Structure formats: C-alpha cells, structure tokens
Amino acid sequence: MCRLTESAKNWSTLKNTLMSDNKLLEQLYEQNKEYFSALNMYIAAGELKLEELKTKVIPELSRKAESSEHNQMAVQEVNDLIQFTERLDKRIHDLLLSRQITIQSAPQIRLIQNTNQALAEKIQSSIVTAIPLWKNQVAIALTLLKQRSAADAQKKVSDTTNELLLKNAELLKTNTIETAKANERGLVEVDTLKRVQESLISTLEETISIQEEGRIKRRRAEEELAVMEGDLKEKLLNMKSGRENS
C-alpha cells in the first residue's frame, strides 16, 4: 500500500510538472505570436523602402549623376544606395526566414501543449481510477495469501492428525497382539522342555558311548601291555641264557 501511495504522489508531481510546462509554453506561444506580428511589420516596411529605392530614389540619383559629368560624389552616392539596397534585401530575406520559423513554431508549441495536456489527463485518470483498483487488487491478493496460508496450516493439522491416528492404531494393534500372545504363553514351553530332554538324552547316550569306548580301549591297552610285558620278559630271559652259555 505504501508503494501505491508513493506512486500516486509521483504521478501527481508529474502531472503538475506537465501543467506548469504548458503555462510556460503558452507564454512562449504569445511571445511568438507578437514576434510574428512585429516581423510582418518589419518585412512590410522593408519591402516598401526597398521598392522606393529601386523605383524612385536610385533611378533619380542615377540620372543626376549622369547629367553632371564632373560630380563624382553623386556617382558615389548612387553606389552607396545600391549597396544599402543589397543589404536591405538580405535583411528582408533574413526576416522572412525568421517569420517562417515563427510560423512553424506555433504548431510545434501547440502540439507539445496538447501532448502534455493529454498526458496530464491520462495521469489524472490513472490517479482517480487505476490507483483505487490497484489498492483493491492488492487487498484482495493479501487476503487470498492469508487464506492460502490458513488453508495450508489446516491441511498440515489434518495430515498430522490422520498420521497420528494411523500410527497410534497400528501401535495399539501391535501391542495388544504381542501382549495377548505373551499372556497365553506358559512360563516354559513344552517344545523347549522337549528339546532340553532330547539334548539331555543325547548327552547321556554320548557319555555312555564314550565311557564304553574308553573301557574297550583300556582293555585293549591292558592286553597290549601284557603282551609287551611278556615279550620284554622273554627277551630278557633269552639274553641271560646267552651270557651264561658263553
């Protein structure tokens, strides 16, 4: 809103500047008009004087100079007038050029004034119509943004609520089922006791088997020891008999 207010102030300043320029241009137009009238008067006077010099004054002085053979100053006077006539003709020509410029300046000034006036009226129309419309649209846009924010916030609340409900329901289901299973389960399961007994019987059987194998190995070892003892005894006896015979 502050920016819109600032824009309205800037536009108002531009409009005032254009209208102030038009006042200055109006003064310039009036001065140009007065200058145009003055130029017309100067041109008319110059043309009358130029016509008088060419048709009356110079021809009359020329006849006098020609009639007086020894009056050299009369001839010089004629030449001076001829030079003055040339300068006057050039001056009139310059005035005619200036007059044409003033003629062209008039529509130029009016064109600039009309353009300034049209711009000023357009700016005024914008201030009266566009700025209020902009303010309304900005207010609507701000309201829609707030509405959108509220809708997004409500959606997040709904999504979070639904997510919590689903998670809690799933957790409740899991906890209830696990608790029910735990309650229905004995302190020691029969399968566990069965496996323990099977392991115990297997251990006893393996122990008895190992013990039996140990007894068999000891008997065999005893028999082998007896054989070894007999062999050693026989060997010693044979050695004793050999020494005695020798």
Side-chain angles (χ1 to χ4, degrees), residues 211-221:
Q211 290 175 350
E212 182 64 27
E213 289 179 358
R215 282 193 297 270
I216 294 173
K217 287 181 178 180
R218 286 195 298 274
R219 296 292 84 79
R220 288 177 181 175

Side-chain angles (χ1 to χ4, degrees), residues 82-96:
I82 292 174
Q83 293 299 320
F84 174 76
T85 302
E86 289 294 327
R87 292 197 301 274
L88 179 60
D89 185 63
K90 291 179 181 178
R91 180 55 181 164
I92 293 172
H93 177 73
D94 291 340
L95 292 175
L96 288 172

